[in-house]
Structure formats: C-alpha cells, structure tokens
Amino acid sequence: MSLVVSNESIHVLGKYISNYSSHQHNDNIVDEATSEFIVNISSCGLVPVITIVGIIGNILSFVVFLKQKKRDRTRVVLISLAISDTLYLLITCVRKMSCIVSMFDVVSGKNWGVFMVPQWYIIGITFARITSVLTMVISIERCFAVLFPLKVRAVVTRTRALKLVVAIFILVSIAMFPLTFCSYTRWTLDPTKNRSVLSVAWTDFYIKNEGVMENYINVALATLLRITPCIVVLFCTTAVLASLKRGQKFRKQSSNLAKSGILMEERRVTVMLLAVTSVYVICLAPGSVLVLMRRFVPSFSTNGKYNYTFLLLSNMNIVLECLNSALNFVIYMKTNRRFNIAFKKMFCSSCNEKTLRNEIHLLSNGTSASSYLD
C-alpha cells in the first residue's frame, strides 16, 4: 500500500508516516491554519538557518580540537560529538530544503521530502541518537570526575574513551539499521496535476512484521536511545551541580592536585561540559515527553484527532534538536578559555598576539602556558 506524504509530515516512524492534511478534527487544540503557519516558519526559516550556522560551528570545533596536540579523554568525545552533530544537521538541512523548493514548485518540494524518507531520514535520526548517547557518556564521565577526582584519570583513559566512542557509533547504527527496511519510494501519477509524484509504500518486511517493528521502534529504540539518555543526563547533571555547590568532598580529595593546576583545569572542563549537558536536557526533554505522549495517547499522532497539535510540536522538537546540535561551538567559546584562545590563534589574524599571551598567563595558574596553544 502506498501513502502520499506531505513534505512536512515525516517526523516519526512506522505507522505515523501519512498525509496529515487529510485528517481534520474539530476538537484540535491548534487549528490547521495556525499549525501550518508555524510549521512553515520553523521549517523554511528557523531550521535552515540553525543547521547552516551549526554545521559551520561544529566544523570549527572539530578543527580546533583536532589541531590541539593534547587529546585527552574529553577531547576524544567532543570531537566525536562534533562529527555526529555535523552529520545530523547536514542531513536535516538537506531534508528541510524541500520546504524552500515547495515555494517555487509544490510537487517538486513534496517529491524532495518524500525521497528523503526511507533511508536518509533514518540516517539523520541515527546521528541524532549517537549524539544523545555521547552526551550521556559525557555526563556520566563528569559525574565520576567530580565525585571521584583521584580515580577518574586512571579509570577513564583516552584509549578507553576512543574505544567506547567507536562502539557507540557502531552499535547505534546497527540498532537503527532495520528501520531502513520499513518503507520505500515509488513514482505514481497524480491525475489532479497530471504529474508524477513520489509516494511512500511499506515494504513486505514491515507488513509481515508490523507488530514487532512497532514495538521495536516505539518502545525499545525510544526507551534506549531517546528517553534513557535524557533521564541519565538529567540525573548526572543534577548530581554534579549539587556536588559542586557543596564543594567539600571535591576540594578535600583534590587538594593535593591544586598546586599542579589539575584541579583548576578539571573545574574549567566541568563547567563547559555542564553547559553542554544542560542544553541537551532543555532541548531534548520536550521531545522525550512527546514520545511518551505518542505512545500512551493514541489520538496524539498524525492520524489522531490532535494531529495538527502533534505536527506543530513535532516541528518544534526538530528545531530544539537542531539547536542542541548547533550550540556547542558557542558553549565552548563562552565557557572554555583554552578553546577560545586556540580558536583565535588559528582563525583570528587580527587578534593581538600579546593580548593572547596575557590571557594565557592569567589563565594558566600553574599549568604550562604553552599547552594552551597545543
């Protein structure tokens, strides 16, 4: 069976791939006109701008971290995070170009959006879920570093972090791979426009295993790769904030490290990573709630009586996920002076070398000043 898909209706997997505009309900919280207006603003305006700016920021972050000679466990994860964020934003940007194309040719815009559904949409979501798991790893590592500062460097090494990152990319990709077999595209003739249009059809694999795939997508994957990371990050971020606020255990166990500058460096890294995880929770928590509502409130879907409300919130969720992947460069520049200095040295030819050296001197506090330029 084939389903003609509107270019802005692809937000979830499985049975929710449908043409939302064909379902009208009088008791919708948001009416069709309002929903479409906000969706068009977010899809045609906000998302393209956020994704393009975010791609540039993540590439700059990747280059700065890669050029630094000192690549500890934190930088390994942050480099990987920049890669997954860049790829997610890139695919999302290409998908949302369908909205812009629709301004000039509605049929071509819809064809573009439908073409991206079977595989490219899944690949984009895969990188988004990799970002979630990497952020969870960051929050767990920071929680361990704050609570057990004397043990973290021995337990969480650069080599182990690298192996873990590779495992995350592989395992998440394997977990998402079956979703590429759920649907495919085919050309059909639209008699009203006398033009060929792309439509989405379920594969025989999905039709034969619909029950299993629905549970796999909406229960297993949603729990493991969406809801669990959000809960873990929230818990670890709260624990770190509470521990730093008290400060007693951290300062007592780390007093011997203060003279070498390690304590201050760990604190700087903690502040930066807390900002990263906090932004993640703010941006991803609404989407996790949306997943739960879709699961337990059947009418809250593209086929239900609250379809326009669901469509609107789904689009807002895409905007928030893009923001989460796009803001890391800004966070690094604002919270990590070492990153800031390294960036200016590499890309800011007008920055005064003497001013940079003075910043390094004021910042070093026992750490080798030259290391900030490594």
Side-chain angles (χ1 to χ4, degrees):
M1 65 183 188
S2 65
L3 297 168
V4 179
V5 185
S6 171
N7 65 317
E8 289 301 331
S9 66
I10 310 302
H11 302 291
V12 291
L13 298 171
K15 64 184 178 183
Y16 299 116
I17 299 179
S18 64
N19 186 348
Y20 70 87
S21 60
S22 63
H23 301 275
Q24 299 187 18
H25 301 277
N26 295 326
D27 51 356
N28 245 296
I29 299 174
V30 179
D31 59 51
E32 180 181 5
T34 302
S35 177
E36 288 187 357
F37 176 73
I38 298 176
V39 165
N40 285 333
I41 291 177
S42 63
S43 297
C44 301
L46 291 177
V47 172
V49 172
I50 293 171
T51 53
I52 292 172
V53 173
I55 289 169
I56 295 172
N58 279 303
I59 291 175
L60 292 175
S61 299
F62 175 82
V63 172
V64 172
F65 284 130
L66 199 63
K67 287 291 184 179
Q68 291 178 328
K69 295 179 182 178
K70 184 181 178 182
R71 298 174 193 165
D72 54 18
R73 66 187 189 278
T74 302
R75 283 184 182 81
V76 168
V77 180
L78 292 181
I79 288 173
S80 305
L81 188 63
I83 294 173
S84 63
D85 282 339
T86 300
L87 293 173
Y88 169 67
L89 291 173
L90 180 61
I91 293 175
T92 302
C93 183
V94 174
R95 284 204 313 114
K96 290 302 179 179
M97 289 299 291
S98 62
C99 182
I100 298 176
V101 173
S102 293
M103 294 180 178
F104 304 94
D105 186 343
V106 175
V107 175
S108 296
K110 289 185 177 181
N111 287 342
W112 186 313
V114 172
F115 172 75
M116 300 294 290
V117 175
Q119 283 80 38
W120 288 105
Y121 174 74
I122 307 302
I123 294 173
I125 294 299
T126 299
F127 288 116
R129 298 300 163 257
I130 289 174
T131 288
S132 291
V133 178
L134 289 175
T135 307
M136 181 176 67
V137 169
I138 289 173
S139 67
I140 294 173
E141 185 274 339
R142 245 334 82 176
C143 190
F144 189 77
V146 170
L147 297 177
F148 307 100
L150 297 177
K151 298 179 180 180
V152 65
R153 288 176 176 266
V155 175
V156 187
T157 63
R158 177 181 177 276
T159 301
R160 289 174 179 172
L162 182 59
K163 290 180 180 178
L164 180 60
V165 164
V166 172
I168 289 171
F169 272 82
I170 294 174
L171 292 176
V172 174
S173 298
I174 292 174
M176 297 293 291
F177 186 68
L179 277 61
T180 61
F181 296 104
C182 289
S183 61
Y184 67 97
T185 58
R186 67 182 182 185
W187 291 98
T188 57
L189 179 65
D190 184 350
T192 61
K193 297 181 176 64
N194 196 28
R195 291 181 61 177
S196 295
V197 297
L198 273 177
S199 61
V200 175
W202 303 124
T203 61
D204 291 337
F205 168 79
Y206 175 79
I207 294 173
K208 293 177 181 178
N209 302 279
E210 181 177 358
V212 174
M213 290 305 298
E214 284 295 309
N215 287 326
Y216 182 69
I217 294 169
N218 297 317
V219 179
L221 290 183
T223 301
L224 292 175
L225 302 180
R226 179 70 189 239
I227 298 173
T228 298
C230 196
I231 293 174
V232 172
V233 171
L234 177 61
F235 174 80
C236 290
T237 301
T238 303
V240 171
L241 287 171
S243 180
L244 290 180
K245 190 174 182 179
R246 293 193 304 269
Q248 297 177 356
K249 185 173 183 180
F250 185 84
R251 284 194 295 270
K252 287 180 180 180
Q253 294 184 350
S254 306
S255 58
N256 295 331
L257 303 176
K259 294 182 180 179
S260 66
I262 295 177
L263 173 59
M264 182 164 289
E265 176 62 17
E266 286 292 337
R267 284 177 176 173
R268 293 191 190 108
V269 173
T270 298
V271 170
M272 177 186 69
L273 297 183
L274 273 177
V276 172
T277 56
S278 297
V279 169
Y280 172 84
V281 171
I282 293 171
C283 292
L284 271 292
S288 297
V289 174
L290 191 64
V291 170
L292 292 174
M293 289 183 65
R294 191 179 76 231
R295 178 63 181 172
F296 295 107
V297 184
S299 58
F300 191 71
S301 68
T302 53
N303 295 323
K305 64 180 180 178
Y306 300 120
N307 56 334
Y308 297 130
T309 305
F310 176 79
L311 175 67
L312 174 60
L313 294 179
S314 295
N315 269 269
M316 292 300 100
N317 175 54
I318 293 174
V319 173
L320 288 175
E321 285 213 47
C322 290
L323 275 174
N324 174 66
S325 294
L327 286 176
N328 285 342
F329 174 76
V330 177
I331 293 173
Y332 302 152
M333 290 293 290
K334 291 294 185 180
T335 62
N336 189 328
R337 188 63 62 85
R338 172 182 286 189
F339 180 92
N340 190 302
I341 293 171
F343 172 79
K344 289 178 179 178
K345 182 174 174 62
M346 293 173 61
F347 298 103
C348 183
S349 58
S350 61
C351 294
N352 187 280
E353 183 71 19
K354 184 177 180 180
T355 302
L356 290 177
R357 290 291 175 183
N358 288 336
E359 288 186 42
I360 295 170
H361 178 72
L362 292 173
L363 186 65
S364 58
N365 248 357
T367 304
S368 174
S370 63
S371 68
Y372 285 88
L373 301 179
D374 287 343

